Amino acid sequence: MTTLESAAAVLRCFSTSRTEITVTEASALLSLPKSNISRLLRAMRDAGLLETIGDSKRYRPGPLILGVAHLYSSTSSLVGRADAVVARIVAAVGHTGYVSIRDGGEVTGLTYHPGTNVLRVATPVGRPLAAHSSATGRSLLARLSDEQVRALFPEPWPPVSPTAPQTLDELLQRLDKVRRLGFAESHDEANRGVGALAAAVGSPETGEAVSLCIAYPLSTVTAEEREDIITRLLAGAREVAALAGDTQWTNQAGLSASAA
């Protein structure tokens, strides 16, 4: 593992539930010697990637990382367009919305719009989810070929719930359905009691891809409401895809329309 790969692995240790980390914790998470981790964390601190908290031996993301993250969110036209669409859908349906990206086999929320309904989903952004067992993840994985998906998940995974994909073959079957319909759906998978609908779009110019997602408590959504969310989500994804020149999504949506 190169120094750059090790630094990236350290940054992936952080989440909304782990905002600080020690040398011992990082060593255990990454299965690397504490002496190596200690030198790496100090080097990352000196470069502005991390900072120490007061006089403690705990580290957290540094000003350079925070500045770049803010810059990415504010300058990515794809993220901005997707976020505007999600905000519009949230205002119409009252459920929570996210814009997320994929990093390897995980997905992470970039933007978050809380729903207005009394009972609503409130999963914070920054918390990584397994891409194979979430609507956002499968919407993004569906943009890859089956061979690329197999390369991402070479080893079997412990199922996160009975309703999540249990095997790679089952995941590939679900991705084929996502490609045909233009959207992904999850029921009681990564977040228990939660349903989600998601559609992913990309930018051929930058190579980035994002997922537009609406999440809701399964107990509160009727079949009619679900269909309304799907209609709004597909219309919004079509709008963003057209602006971004995403012919991959447009072609998938066309196949879905002719199949219907």
Side-chain angles (χ1 to χ4, degrees):
M1 184 181 293
T2 67
T3 302
L4 183 59
E5 290 171 333
S6 298
V10 168
L11 293 176
R12 291 192 183 97
C13 291
F14 294 101
S15 68
T16 53
S17 58
R18 189 188 294 117
T19 59
E20 306 168 3
I21 199 168
T22 65
V23 170
T24 300
E25 291 168 343
S27 174
L29 289 167
L30 301 178
S31 300
L32 292 173
K34 289 177 64 175
S35 58
N36 293 8
I37 289 294
S38 179
R39 287 194 296 272
L40 177 61
L41 295 187
R42 288 199 303 270
M44 292 176 68
R45 178 200 61 198
D46 294 342
L49 299 175
L50 299 177
E51 65 180 11
T52 50
I53 303 171
D55 295 327
S56 73
K57 296 182 179 181
R58 305 193 67 82
Y59 292 83
R60 65 187 175 195
L64 180 59
I65 290 293
L66 298 178
V68 171
H70 175 73
L71 180 65
Y72 177 82
S73 295
S74 62
T75 61
S76 171
S77 60
L78 184 64
V79 173
R81 289 165 177 165
D83 188 57
V85 167
V86 169
R88 189 175 70 213
I89 298 174
V90 168
V93 303
H95 296 295
T96 299
Y98 302 89
V99 174
S100 303
I101 58 171
R102 180 181 64 84
D103 180 13
E106 295 182 330
V107 287
T108 305
L110 286 179
T111 68
Y112 164 66
H113 294 275
T116 56
N117 296 336
V118 174
L119 186 60
R120 58 184 180 269
V121 175
T123 303
V125 296
R127 172 193 170 195
L129 296 175
H132 53 65
S133 296
S134 59
T136 53
R138 289 195 293 273
S139 70
L140 289 161
L141 290 175
R143 297 180 61 85
L144 306 178
S145 67
D146 283 358
E147 291 72 22
Q148 289 172 312
V149 174
R150 289 182 185 278
L152 276 177
F153 305 107
E155 302 294 334
W157 59 78
V160 302
S161 73
T163 56
Q166 309 292 296
T167 65
L168 179 58
D169 286 341
E170 183 181 348
L171 171 62
L172 294 177
Q173 291 173 7
R174 295 203 193 186
L175 294 184
D176 182 62
K177 184 177 181 181
V178 174
R179 296 180 188 118
R180 288 187 285 108
L181 297 180
F183 68 91
E185 186 169 12
S186 63
H187 290 81
D188 201 26
E189 292 185 31
N191 294 312
R192 305 310 302 270
V194 172
L197 294 157
V201 295
S203 168
E205 181 179 350
T206 64
E208 62 182 334
V210 298
S211 176
L212 294 71
C213 177
I214 300 297
Y216 46 83
L218 284 170
S219 60
T220 67
V221 172
T222 65
E224 291 76 15
E225 287 178 298
R226 173 183 170 276
E227 290 299 323
D228 180 53
I229 294 171
I230 292 172
T231 299
R232 294 177 185 274
L233 192 62
L234 290 178
R238 185 177 298 110
E239 174 187 324
V240 177
L243 291 170
D246 182 10
T247 55
Q248 178 179 346
W249 194 92
T250 304
N251 291 339
Q252 283 183 193
L255 289 172
S256 174
S258 27

